[in-house]
Amino acid sequence: MSTPNTPPTSPILRITSRTAEVGGIPIHRLMPSRQRRMIGAWCFLDHAGPSTFEPGAGMRVGPHPHIGLQTFTWMIKGEVLHRDSLGNKQIIRPGQVNLMTAGHGIAHTEESLAQEDTLHATQLWIALPPPDSHCAPAFDHHPELPLWSLNGCQLTLLAGSYNGYTAPPKLYSPLVGIDLNSTAGSAMTLPLDSEFEYGVLTLEGQTIINGQAFAVDELAYLGLGLHEINLELAPGGSRAILLGGLPFSSDVLIWWNFVGHNKTDIARAQHDWETGSERFGTVHGYDGPPLTAPPLPPGWTI
Ligand code: MN
């Protein structure tokens, strides 16, 4: 049994974020980055907010398509309405997960509620492995997730299995996701699966991971082969998300809102979106125009 003072068990890669804007809300993007494209099948990681705004001036993301992935939204503060081309209309509130499986194709919108004045969330994408990358689209809302306390920290299991719990989101490859939230500070040793690779993104406050300090919007990539992690959350309100998974076995291409295993798949999806193909269906009830894809890179053709 080691203690929080144990020296680092392996070098930690410190990944810094780049800033962007999604639907009018500033975000910090951690993956994909030059330093790290994936953690298991987790292939995209945005930290949205924390952001405050005038009621009515919150996030608005118009109709846009996805293929080959699951979008995984973890809401920390604020409320967002999701609509999709399967006819789902679902508000996501703090402590809840929305999981949209794009598979062969789906379109959706996301918007802050009219009276809302805050947003703090993470949005992740999970790449679907080749046998499932063209599966039928689906949407699932998960209002309740396993949660427990450890050494002054509240842990919420977002995805996969851990500590005897299994989270409800349907996954297509071995993954785990855990939210760690502490107001008064906490130190713990968490067992890990040595076949998984792991990363920790600090969302609020400060964390110390195997003796190294990480600030908000720094992603610590821990790699493979670890049996445990020593994690401290600083007092005064610290929150982090632990992501892990079996290294993904195939190449993944990400272009705009598409994830594919070859350029042709992605070029076909873009063509189908631009020509209004029934593949992506129609999102009803959103007041605004659909999003336009940027031009494909040269040589990406059907
Ligand atoms: Mn989307």
Side-chain angles (χ1 to χ4, degrees):
M1 196 69 187
S2 52
T3 70
N5 297 319
T6 303
T9 47
S10 70
I12 298 177
L13 181 63
R14 185 183 302 265
I15 298 170
T16 52
S17 67
R18 56 206 158 98
T19 54
E21 173 254 295
V22 173
I25 298 294
I27 61 102
H28 285 86
R29 182 158 298 158
L30 284 307
M31 289 196 303
S33 85
R34 271 189 302 107
Q35 294 163 282
R36 192 72 214 162
R37 295 179 54 79
M38 300 179 81
I39 298 171
W42 301 105
C43 66
F44 183 94
L45 173 51
D46 269 1
H47 180 202
S51 195
T52 56
F53 38 80
E54 294 298 313
M59 182 175 71
R60 278 180 62 79
V61 184
H64 63 280
H66 288 286
I67 66 162
L69 58 84
Q70 296 174 292
T71 62
F72 187 103
T73 306
W74 165 236
M75 190 60 60
I76 297 166
K77 265 176 87 179
E79 299 188 337
V80 168
L81 174 63
H82 157 96
R83 300 179 206 256
D84 64 46
S85 52
L86 299 176
N88 296 294
K89 185 178 173 189
Q90 179 66 56
I91 294 170
I92 181 172
R93 299 191 162 93
Q96 302 181 340
V97 162
N98 273 358
L99 180 72
M100 186 178 77
T101 303
H104 187 61
I106 195 168
H108 75 143
T109 63
E110 293 164 295
E111 53 190 315
S112 297
L113 297 190
Q115 70 276 16
E116 188 57 71
D117 64 0
T118 185
L119 179 66
H120 189 195
T122 59
Q123 192 179 62
L124 299 112
W125 294 356
I126 302 169
L128 291 168
D132 303 303
S133 56
H134 285 279
C135 68
F139 173 80
D140 298 291
H141 175 63
H142 297 295
E144 288 182 28
L145 300 157
L147 52 92
W148 68 100
S149 292
L150 177 65
N151 301 350
C153 181
Q154 178 176 278
L155 292 87
T156 306
L157 184 60
L158 308 178
S161 295
Y162 195 84
N163 194 33
Y165 300 105
T166 297
K170 181 179 179 183
L171 304 175
Y172 292 82
S173 62
L175 287 179
V176 70
I178 303 172
D179 179 89
L180 304 115
N181 184 28
S182 177
T183 48
S186 177
M188 69 194 91
T189 299
L190 295 173
L192 301 180
D193 180 337
S194 63
E195 294 187 357
F196 277 21
E197 55 183 339
Y198 289 92
V200 177
L201 173 62
T202 301
L203 298 172
E204 294 177 304
Q206 189 193 52
T207 57
I208 298 174
I209 301 164
N210 292 344
Q212 296 182 45
F214 289 84
V216 171
D217 293 317
E218 290 185 328
L219 174 63
Y221 175 72
L222 300 157
L224 286 165
L226 296 178
H227 296 277
E228 61 184 24
I229 178 177
N230 295 315
L231 193 56
E232 293 177 52
L233 288 98
S238 292
R239 182 187 283 264
I241 189 171
L242 171 70
L243 303 171
L246 266 191
F248 204 66
S249 54
S250 56
D251 288 338
V252 167
L253 294 174
I254 299 180
W255 171 256
W256 193 44
N257 290 300
F258 304 129
V259 169
H261 300 288
N262 58 68
K263 295 172 182 174
T264 309
D265 258 10
I266 289 177
R268 168 64 65 187
Q270 176 130 338
H271 174 267
D272 290 346
W273 177 249
E274 288 174 340
T275 56
S277 158
E278 288 179 12
R279 174 177 182 175
F280 294 107
T282 303
V283 184
H284 295 286
Y286 179 86
D287 182 19
L291 304 191
T292 304
L296 283 167
W300 292 38
T301 53
I302 297 169

